[in-house]
Amino acid sequence: MSEMIVATKKGLYCEKGDFYIDPWRPVARAVITHAHSDHARIGSNSYLCAAPGVGILKHRLGENISVDAVEYGERKSINGVDVSLHPAGHILGSSQVRVEYQGEVWVVSGDYKIQADPTCDAFEPIQCHTFITESTFGLPVYSWPEDREVFESINNWWSKNKEAGKSSLLLCYSLGKAQRILKGIDPSIGPIFTHGAIEALNQVYRYSIGLPHTQHVPLTKQASNQYSGALILAPPAVLGSAWIRRFGTVSTAFASGWMRIRGMKRRYAVDRGFILSDHADWPALLSTIEATGASKVLVTHGYTDILVRYLRECGKDAHTMSTNFQGETEETVVEEQLRVEFAALSQDSAQQDDESATKLQHSNPDETQSIDEEGSEQLSLLLELNGESADTSDTVPDAEKDEEQE
Ligand SMILES: [Zn+2]
Ligand SMILES: [Zn+2]
């Protein structure tokens, strides 16, 4: 079977249809899965995206881009190739791209999650022969708690801070995560303030999604007691900056899939970590791959090696596909840095325990060697090592547990 979509210098390319999917360089025709900056870049002549995502794409790339919107599921022929977009459940307007030519079907997942998210259409598994999947959280240690539990924890944290006269600074990514949090929390607890980067996107979301009332944090640097009892949403980049001094006595938290790892929370020096991700966790990656019925799986950004090796062990024809995709927007800086740090952390422990496990991480993902018994032992060792780093203490740090007992 020929390769219908290949990774080129400019991005994922469909030669038959002469278009790119989420190109990282300017091209004539770009099909866009979603507006995070590692997937949607300026400079292309024309863009195609799902109708609910047009507003965000224009907000990110400029009002005057040439963009063609299609409804989810609507088929469009591009040079004889059938193209349709289907909900990816990642952020508002996010899509999987289904490409069909002469009966052969490929699907590019973009970023996706299967958990319910009231800010976007729910993920739909699409039957295909070849599935190109992300693997941002492609390690068994990453499995997400129920959203409801996470939002309850956030509400409790906020309420307690309010009782103690503190403000609550919750770090989260500006596009998608912030709006999902606003939809999930209880706005009756107190006032909600947002960083400018988040407020600008809230305005775009409000054209299609109802969000609770929020106030933009004013530009003045003066500390003020107006934030006492308030929830403040800001991108992670503000941590350690002068911007947060205005909030007085503040409790800090970070909402991210990376908070599943105890070391990450400590490294960030935040008081609380809430495990909330807009990407598929390990069980969701596996169940989704199964649900597509794909006989061939190509794995892009994230823990590609691990997922590819696991899938091969399960008898799948799986390969790494190298792309320029990363975490997401601010995540490109923050999450990518965390990913690198975590890789280093697990390498350290792997080296202490068994050098072969480290070798596994470094080996060339493209090589087609079959996994022998030794390889599979190495894999389970590595998965175990990563499992040991998991934060199993829920999200309540010891200090706060003590408080709760009082
Ligand atoms: Zn991505
Ligand atoms: Zn994304």
Side-chain angles (χ1 to χ4, degrees):
M1 236 188 316
S2 64
E3 299 292 298
M4 191 139 65
I5 294 165
V6 292
T8 70
K9 272 188 198 159
K10 291 180 178 174
L12 299 183
Y13 181 55
C14 175
E15 192 184 359
K16 294 271 185 336
D18 192 22
F19 61 86
Y20 288 82
I21 297 168
D22 294 352
W24 39 85
R25 299 227 183 120
V27 299
R29 191 191 283 272
V31 178
I32 299 297
T33 63
H34 66 290
H36 277 142
S37 63
D38 57 325
H39 294 260
R41 303 189 186 216
I42 52 166
S44 289
N45 293 347
S46 76
Y47 295 89
L48 178 75
C49 76
V54 173
I56 305 172
L57 193 67
K58 285 190 165 180
H59 173 77
R60 278 281 162 102
L61 303 186
E63 282 299 322
N64 51 8
I65 58 166
S66 161
V67 55
D68 203 359
V70 287
E71 297 300 329
Y72 284 129
E74 181 186 340
R75 291 208 178 187
K76 194 178 164 73
S77 175
I78 305 179
N79 299 317
V81 173
D82 252 2
V83 177
S84 55
L85 304 180
H86 304 266
H90 176 59
I91 62 167
L92 180 61
S94 64
S95 305
Q96 307 170 73
V97 183
R98 181 186 184 277
V99 179
E100 179 174 354
Y101 183 73
Q102 293 182 345
E104 192 188 336
V105 179
W106 284 48
V107 168
V108 177
S109 76
D111 292 339
Y112 66 99
K113 72 170 175 294
I114 65 172
Q115 284 176 308
D117 177 344
T119 67
C120 61
D121 289 83
F123 179 87
E124 286 171 16
I126 307 296
Q127 291 289 308
C128 56
H129 299 103
T130 300
F131 185 48
I132 302 180
T133 182
E134 65 136 324
S135 62
T136 303
F137 290 104
L139 284 179
V141 59
Y142 293 112
S143 63
W144 310 144
E146 291 286 327
D147 291 28
R148 194 178 36 80
E149 290 170 28
V150 177
F151 288 118
E152 264 176 38
S153 304
I154 294 175
N155 288 336
N156 288 339
W157 165 74
W158 179 13
S159 300
K160 282 196 163 181
N161 291 336
K162 189 185 176 193
E163 279 166 31
K166 292 181 193 171
S167 54
S168 303
L169 175 63
L170 179 54
L171 305 173
C172 55
Y173 306 114
S174 310
L175 173 51
K177 187 73 64 64
Q179 293 75 30
R180 185 179 170 202
I181 289 172
L182 285 169
K183 256 323 218 194
I185 50 154
D186 175 4
S188 71
I189 295 172
I192 305 168
F193 288 88
T194 53
H195 183 275
I198 291 173
E199 195 53 36
L201 283 156
N202 285 351
Q203 284 174 22
V204 182
Y205 264 70
R206 283 190 172 107
Y207 284 112
S208 41
I209 307 279
L211 294 176
H213 177 68
T214 53
Q215 302 171 63
H216 185 184
V217 172
L219 287 172
T220 166
K221 280 183 186 162
Q222 238 115 66
S224 157
N225 59 7
Q226 68 171 316
Y227 300 108
S228 162
L231 175 70
I232 304 125
L233 299 185
V238 304
L239 208 64
S241 77
W243 189 81
I244 66 173
R245 285 191 205 134
R246 72 195 69 193
F247 301 121
T249 316
V250 62
S251 176
T252 55
F254 191 8
S256 164
W258 300 109
M259 292 300 110
R260 184 74 182 80
I261 305 299
R262 195 196 304 269
M264 297 302 194
K265 196 165 66 190
R266 263 193 253 116
R267 210 165 269 253
Y268 252 78
V270 284
D271 302 320
R272 291 290 294 267
F274 297 111
I275 304 166
L276 192 69
S277 174
D278 288 327
H279 293 267
D281 62 4
W282 175 260
L285 288 170
L286 299 185
S287 65
T288 300
I289 289 166
E290 212 49 52
T292 63
S295 53
K296 184 165 152 186
V297 182
L298 302 175
V299 182
T300 68
H301 59 320
Y303 293 99
T304 51
D305 291 18
I306 308 281
L307 184 56
V308 164
R309 271 155 203 274
Y310 185 88
L311 291 172
R312 285 184 184 177
E313 291 225 328
C314 302
K316 294 247 186 271
D317 181 15
H319 305 268
T320 294
M321 190 178 215
S322 55
T323 64
N324 284 11
F325 304 137
Q326 297 172 326
E328 298 174 357
T329 48
E330 295 114 7
E331 294 165 60
T332 50
V333 184
V334 179
E335 293 206 344
E336 185 56 20
Q337 184 196 341
L338 288 171
R339 199 176 76 77
V340 168
E341 284 175 359
F342 177 58
L345 278 176
S346 46
Q347 273 178 27
D348 284 352
S349 41
Q351 259 159 8
Q352 282 159 18
D353 292 340
D354 185 338
E355 276 193 17
S356 59
T358 336
K359 249 183 255 157
L360 175 69
Q361 268 202 328
H362 285 298
S363 58
N364 181 359
D366 293 327
E367 64 197 354
T368 49
Q369 112 245 0
S370 65
I371 306 276
D372 54 18
E373 266 182 68
E374 193 198 8
S376 95
E377 250 179 55
Q378 289 174 354
L379 178 62
S380 29
L381 174 68
L382 185 58
L383 299 184
E384 245 176 64
L385 281 168
N386 287 314
E388 277 174 17
S389 307
D391 184 354
T392 49
S393 70
D394 192 9
T395 51
V396 184
D398 293 342
E400 296 215 17
K401 270 184 190 152
D402 293 340
E403 271 175 37
E404 273 171 357
Q405 281 163 5
E406 282 168 15

